[in-house]
Amino acid sequence: MRDFIAEVKGYCLIHNPTGCGGYIVTNMRNLTKKQKEFLYGYFMDMGDRFKAEQFIE
């Protein structure tokens, strides 16, 4: 199902495989402006400015 929602639907996935930080964002298509804005706000709210700034154009 993960491949379907990423490849067909265009969703990006936020996951934390280790369970102790180090979030990974996986996307198969280019991120939309709304997705980038969401990810920026999401990581800023978590206090991760470095990760948030990866989604600024």
Side-chain angles (χ1 to χ4, degrees), residues 4-51:
F4 175 77
I5 62 173
E7 291 178 22
V8 176
K9 293 292 194 176
Y11 287 45
C12 64
L13 307 173
I14 305 169
H15 48 108
N16 178 3
T18 62
C20 54
Y23 289 88
I24 298 171
V25 177
T26 303
N27 56 296
M28 303 303 228
R29 296 183 181 179
N30 291 334
L31 295 172
T32 65
K33 182 179 177 186
K34 285 226 178 238
Q35 287 172 321
K36 289 177 185 178
E37 290 171 354
F38 172 82
L39 290 168
Y40 177 81
Y42 179 81
F43 287 112
M44 285 299 284
D45 288 347
M46 292 179 63
D48 191 347
R49 183 179 200 94
F50 178 77
K51 189 73 171 176

